[in-house]
Amino acid sequence: MEKGTLVEFRVQGDRRLGVVDRPDGKTRWFVVDERGQSHSLAPRQITYTVNGQAYKPSEIASFIEQVKSYLDPSSLEVAWELLVEDAEAVTPSEMANLLFSESDPAFCYAAHCLLSDDKLYFKQKGDAYEARTAAQVAERKHQIEVEALKARGQQEFLARVEQALRGEAVEWQRHDRQRLEGLEKYATLLADVVRVGLNYDSLARAYPPSAPVLETMTMLGRPATPQGAFQLLIDLGWWNAHENLFLRRSSIPVQFPSKVVEVAQQRLDFPPTDLDANRLDLTHLKVYTIDDESTTEIDDGLSWELLLDGRERLWVHIADPTRWLIPEDDLDLEARKRGSTVYLPTGMIPMFPEVLATGPMSLVQGQVCCALSFGVVLDTTGAVEDYCIRTSFIKPTYRLTYEDVDEMLQLGVEAEPEIEAIATWARRRKSWRYNQGAISINMPEATIKVKGDDISIDILDDSSSRQLVAEMMILAGEVAARYGQVHKIPLPFRGQPQPELPPEEELLQLPAGFVRACAMRRCMPKSEMSITPVRHAGLGLDTYTQATSPIRRYSDLLTHFQLKAHLRGEVLPFSAEQLKEVMMTVTSTTQEVTMVERQTNRYWALEYLRRHPEQVWHVTVLMWLREDSNLALILLEDLGLQLPMSFRRSVSLGEQILVKVSHADPQKDSIQFQEIIYQEAQTANN
C-alpha cells in the first residue's frame, strides 16, 4: 500500500479516515487520521480504500466536507428500483456512476458510505452490494417501523418514569404496565431472602433477570437485581416501602375474578331456593355473637335454653353459607382455591366476596338468619349427654365483644343470666376435657395491627370470654364429628397424635411458666386431617372436626356440605375419595396461607422493633436454639413476641434480662439485641 493512500477504518464502531504513513512490521500499516493520531492497522481493519491520488492528513477534513453533500440515503431507493429486477450487485464505483454520473474518489466514497450504512435496500456481498428482493425490503421496512415504535415507546416510558420520580401523577400505559408487572415478578424474589435463606448476592446469581427486565433496568440505569427492581417500584410510587412480598410471591389471589363478583351480586339480588325447607325456628332464643370489635364475618352465636325436664341445653349456632351456594359452583370453587380467609396486620383477604360474607352469610344482629345449629345437653361432668344438629332460623340478639362479655361476667349482669350459664358450662366442659387428657400450653400470642403508618402490637388476652367461646366451638366440633362417625359420613376430621412429653421430673427441673410451656410445645405433633375419625390428643377428644367457621375456612364449609346433605336425606356431595382429594388441595393452600400470615406478622414485628431502638424490653430466655454458640429463643413479654438472640455470656433458661434492639431489618428478616444493665435501662426509660 502506497504512502499517502486514504483509507477508512473504525474506532469503537465510528467511521474514521486516515492516510497511510509507513509499514508496521510485515503486514500492518501506520495510518495517521485528521487529528494527527497514529493507528497501527492490520489489512482486515481497513474497510475502504480511496483510490486515485495521494493525500495528506491535513486534507482529510476538506475531503469529508466534499463527500457530505452527496450523502442522501433516499437516493438509494431510486438505484434499488433500477437494479432489483435483475438482482444485480454493484460496487461503490458503479453506484457512484449510477447516482452521480461521476466516479471521482469523493463520489465513490460517498457511494460506499451510503451502501455500507444502508440497512434496507442493499446487502454486502464481498466488495460489492446486492439489491434485496422486494419482499425482503418490505419486511425490512416493517422491522424498521417496529424498532422505531419501540424506540419511541421507550422514550415515552422514560418520560413517564421521570415524571413519577418527581412525585407527579402518571397515567401509565398498557405497555408500561407490562414492564412494571415484569419488575414486580422479579422483585418478589426478595421474599426468598426469608423463605429459603438466600442473601441478596446469591439471590441475584440464582435468579438472573429476564430479557425485558434487564432491558428496563439497563435503560433506567438501575442495577438489574431483585433489590434494584424493588427499589425502583417504590421510587415510582408503584409500590410502597412495605409491600407484602410474601403475599405477592404466593399463589393467594387478592382480588376476586369479575365473574365471581357478578355471581355473588346475583345471589344477593335473587336468592336461590333454600334447599332446607324444614328449618327449625329458633328465633325465640336469645343469641349472643361474641367477636373482636373489628370482626366483619360473624359466623357463630351462642344460646342457652332451659328444657321442660329441668335440663339445660346449649346452642351453638353457626352461619350457613351453603344456603347461598352449591358444591362446584363459581363461589364454591373460588372459596376452595383460596382455602381460607387470610388475616394480615394490614387487613384481611376474605374467602368469599364481602357482599355475601359480611351480609347474608353472616349472623347479623336483629335479622332473621339461616344457621346450622348444634343443640347440646351436657351431663354434670361436662361430657356430651345428648345432642341434635338442625338447620335453623335464628335472630341474633346481641353483638358483643370479648371485653363486653368479660365485663358482664365480672359484674354478674342479672338481665343476662344466659351468659353466666354458658360460662359455667364452658368451665365444666374445659375441666372434663382435661380429665380426658387434653393438654394446655399457655404461651402469650401477639396480635399485630397496621393502620396507615402506625403499628400496634397487643397480647391476645386468654380471658374468660375467649375461653368461653373456644370451649363452645370445640364442643360443636366434637358433636359434628360424632354425628359423622355414627352415620359413617366422610368429613374432614382433624386429629393430633399423642405427644411424647418429657418425663415429669425433667419438666420440673425447668422454670415454671413460659419455659416449661415452651418445652412442652416442642413435643406437640402437628395436627392431621383424615376422612375417618381420629383422636385429637391436644383437645382430649376421641373425634373432632372443625365446623364453626364456614365463611372463613373451607374445611368447615366441607363439613357443612356433608352434614346438611345427610340431614336432608340426600346423596352426599362428596364421596370419601372425592373429599380426600379436595382436602389435599385445600390443606396445601391453607399451609401456604399460614406461612404468608406468619411471615407477614414477623415482618411487621421486626419493623415495629426497628422503630423503637431506644426502648428497653423485658425478656425471658425460653429455650436454646444452638446452645454451643449461645443462640437462644427469647420472649419479649410486653409484646408476646418470640425471637432469636445471641448472648455474649452464659445465661440460664428462664432468666429474665433487659435488652434493646441494636439492629433490625424486616426485609432481610434479621434482628439483633444487646443486653443492657439496670442503670442503662433506667437512663433509657427516663
Side-chain angles (χ1 to χ4, degrees):
M1 191 175 297
E2 297 296 326
K3 178 180 174 66
T5 302
L6 186 61
V7 296
E8 180 193 82
F9 59 99
R10 302 267 179 171
V11 176
Q12 295 180 340
D14 292 333
R15 189 191 304 275
R16 193 170 294 186
L17 289 175
V19 175
V20 174
D21 184 41
R22 66 185 188 279
D24 179 17
K26 292 184 179 181
T27 59
R28 302 178 71 87
W29 297 88
F30 279 115
V31 173
V32 180
D33 63 20
E34 62 178 291
R35 304 170 189 172
Q37 294 176 339
S38 182
H39 305 266
S40 176
L41 302 178
R44 60 182 173 78
Q45 292 175 279
I46 296 173
T47 53
Y48 186 79
T49 301
V50 178
N51 297 312
Q53 67 183 75
Y55 292 85
K56 297 177 182 177
S58 60
E59 296 173 331
I60 294 175
S62 61
F63 179 81
I64 291 174
E65 284 301 316
Q66 185 182 358
V67 169
K68 278 182 180 179
S69 60
Y70 299 105
L71 298 180
D72 178 9
S74 64
S75 62
L76 283 180
E77 183 175 5
V78 177
W80 172 77
E81 289 174 349
L82 295 172
L83 298 170
V84 65
E85 288 188 12
D86 297 327
E88 293 183 30
V90 291
T91 64
S93 176
E94 291 168 337
M95 180 61 76
N97 274 316
L98 184 62
L99 293 177
F100 314 118
S101 301
E102 295 280 356
S103 57
D104 287 349
F107 292 105
C108 291
Y109 183 62
H112 159 74
C113 291
L114 288 170
L115 287 166
S116 60
D117 286 345
D118 176 57
K119 305 295 184 214
L120 184 57
Y121 298 107
F122 295 90
K123 58 183 176 183
Q124 190 169 4
K125 197 170 185 180
D127 292 331
Y129 291 83
E130 187 178 82
R132 299 181 190 272
T133 66
Q136 289 173 331
V137 169
E139 176 61 26
R140 297 287 290 178
K141 282 183 177 180
H142 175 69
Q143 289 177 0
I144 290 170
E145 287 175 5
V146 170
E147 289 169 3
L149 282 172
K150 180 180 178 182
R152 187 163 67 249
Q154 288 178 343
Q155 290 305 311
E156 291 173 351
F157 173 68
L158 285 172
R160 286 189 285 272
V161 166
E162 290 301 321
Q163 190 179 346
L165 292 176
R166 291 195 299 267
E168 300 173 11
V170 177
E171 188 174 338
W172 298 105
Q173 303 302 304
R174 181 172 60 87
H175 291 299
D176 300 340
R177 293 181 180 279
Q178 291 174 347
R179 283 183 184 276
L180 295 170
E181 286 165 5
L183 294 177
E184 282 184 331
K185 188 174 181 181
Y186 192 49
T188 57
L189 292 171
L190 282 176
D192 286 1
V193 170
V194 175
R195 193 171 63 88
V196 295
L198 292 172
N199 60 38
Y200 285 161
D201 291 337
S202 58
L203 183 70
R205 288 194 299 271
Y207 299 106
S210 64
V213 168
L214 180 60
E215 178 188 81
T216 302
M217 298 302 285
T218 303
M219 183 169 52
L220 297 175
R222 300 284 186 121
T225 62
Q227 177 68 8
F230 179 76
Q231 189 59 51
L232 174 60
L233 292 168
I234 293 172
D235 293 345
L236 294 175
W238 187 262
W239 277 2
N240 67 62
H242 299 292
E243 195 71 28
N244 193 330
L245 299 177
F246 312 113
L247 181 60
R248 285 188 171 275
R249 189 85 165 104
S250 74
S251 59
I252 300 168
V254 176
Q255 303 295 331
F256 285 95
S258 56
K259 171 67 173 174
V260 173
V261 174
E262 289 171 12
V263 170
Q265 190 61 49
Q266 288 170 3
R267 299 287 166 86
L268 188 65
D269 296 338
F270 306 100
T273 302
D274 187 1
L275 299 178
D276 299 287
N278 61 340
R279 289 184 182 272
L280 181 64
D281 188 345
L282 296 176
T283 55
H284 61 283
L285 293 176
K286 275 187 184 179
V287 177
Y288 305 91
T289 65
I290 307 170
D291 285 286
D292 287 309
E293 189 173 357
S294 60
T295 301
T296 55
E297 299 172 335
I298 304 170
D299 51 15
D300 57 80
L302 304 175
S303 297
W304 172 88
E305 181 183 21
L306 182 62
L307 301 178
L308 294 176
D309 60 7
R311 295 186 302 168
E312 299 174 37
R313 177 186 284 151
L314 297 167
W315 286 99
V316 182
H317 310 288
I318 307 301
D320 186 8
T322 63
R323 158 74 180 87
W324 300 89
L325 62 153
I326 57 176
E328 309 289 329
D329 70 1
D330 290 310
L331 290 169
D332 174 47
L333 292 177
E334 181 66 20
R336 187 184 303 178
K337 183 169 71 174
R338 291 167 177 264
S340 72
T341 292
V342 185
Y343 293 96
L344 303 173
T346 48
M348 72 167 189
I349 304 170
M351 189 171 77
F352 287 108
E354 285 191 67
V355 67
L356 290 178
T358 63
M361 284 184 176
S362 283
L363 304 182
V364 181
Q365 179 181 350
Q367 296 183 13
V368 174
C369 306
C370 294
L372 184 63
S373 296
F374 298 80
V376 188
V377 176
L378 301 175
D379 66 20
T380 54
T381 67
V384 175
E385 181 180 286
D386 189 20
Y387 70 85
C388 66
I389 304 175
R390 296 291 302 272
T391 54
S392 64
F393 289 117
I394 64 168
K395 189 175 183 180
T397 316
Y398 300 110
R399 179 181 176 180
L400 304 174
T401 65
Y402 290 107
E403 292 74 17
D404 292 334
V405 175
D406 284 327
E407 187 175 351
M408 293 168 72
L409 292 173
Q410 290 168 7
L411 298 177
V413 179
E414 294 182 3
E416 305 298 334
E418 294 89 347
I419 286 287
E420 181 58 48
I422 296 170
T424 299
W425 283 111
R427 289 190 292 270
R428 197 171 295 173
R429 173 73 183 165
K430 183 176 181 179
S431 176
W432 176 83
R433 283 197 305 107
Y434 285 115
N435 287 334
Q436 305 305 307
I439 300 168
S440 175
I441 299 177
N442 294 317
M443 294 292 292
E445 183 180 346
T447 59
I448 306 174
K449 300 291 182 185
V450 177
K451 290 184 178 180
D453 195 46
D454 294 330
I455 311 170
S456 63
I457 302 182
D458 297 301
I459 295 178
L460 190 63
D461 184 22
D462 189 24
S463 63
S464 298
S465 61
R466 291 186 184 276
Q467 291 182 31
L468 177 157
V469 172
E471 286 301 326
M472 292 300 102
M473 299 306 107
I474 294 170
L475 175 59
E478 181 191 5
V479 167
R482 278 198 185 192
Y483 186 90
Q485 184 176 31
V486 169
H487 297 284
K488 296 182 171 51
I489 304 171
L491 293 176
F493 292 98
R494 186 173 289 273
Q496 186 180 40
Q498 191 67 33
E500 294 184 14
L501 297 177
E504 189 170 351
E505 58 272 18
E506 186 177 319
L507 281 175
L508 290 175
Q509 290 177 2
L510 296 172
F514 296 141
V515 175
R516 200 174 293 175
C518 186
M520 293 175 63
R521 183 183 61 186
R522 292 184 65 191
C523 301
M524 296 299 291
K526 290 183 178 179
S527 61
E528 52 192 36
M529 301 285 280
S530 171
I531 58 171
T532 54
V534 59
R535 176 171 171 77
H536 197 299
L539 296 178
L541 299 176
D542 290 332
T543 183
Y544 176 69
T545 187
Q546 290 180 315
T548 57
S549 294
I551 307 176
R552 301 187 266 187
R553 281 194 303 250
Y554 191 80
S555 61
D556 298 43
L557 194 72
L558 285 174
T559 299
H560 278 230
F561 274 135
Q562 297 290 81
L563 291 180
K564 286 182 63 184
H566 188 272
L567 289 170
R568 290 194 298 265
E570 296 176 357
V571 175
L572 298 179
F574 298 97
S575 67
E577 282 306 309
Q578 288 172 328
L579 187 70
K580 188 174 182 179
E581 185 177 336
V582 173
M583 282 169 53
M584 286 177 62
T585 302
V586 172
T587 299
S588 174
T589 303
T590 53
Q591 286 174 347
E592 184 176 28
V593 168
T594 301
M595 181 63 70
V596 169
E597 290 176 339
R598 183 180 300 129
Q599 290 170 331
T600 306
N601 273 292
R602 184 176 170 94
Y603 175 95
W604 284 108
L606 296 191
E607 176 61 17
Y608 179 88
L609 292 171
R610 187 190 69 80
R611 297 182 185 187
H612 296 81
E614 298 305 317
Q615 178 70 45
V616 175
W617 304 103
H618 294 259
V619 306
T620 300
V621 182
L622 284 181
M623 58 174 280
W624 291 112
L625 297 174
R626 289 199 303 270
E627 189 171 3
D628 57 344
S629 55
N630 275 1
L631 180 64
L633 185 70
I634 61 171
L635 170 67
L636 279 72
E637 296 178 8
D638 294 337
L639 301 177
L641 297 175
Q642 299 173 39
L643 295 164
M645 177 175 175
S646 291
F647 287 91
R648 297 181 179 179
R649 65 175 179 88
S650 296
V651 294
S652 304
L653 296 184
E655 188 172 341
Q656 295 187 322
I657 59 176
L658 301 173
V659 303
K660 288 201 303 186
V661 175
S662 58
H663 168 78
D665 187 334
Q667 199 174 90
K668 292 183 179 179
D669 190 42
S670 64
I671 187 163
Q672 295 171 10
F673 296 94
Q674 64 181 47
E675 186 178 359
I676 61 173
I677 59 176
Y678 181 70
Q679 286 83 354
E680 287 181 285
Q682 282 186 315
T683 303
N685 286 329
N686 289 334

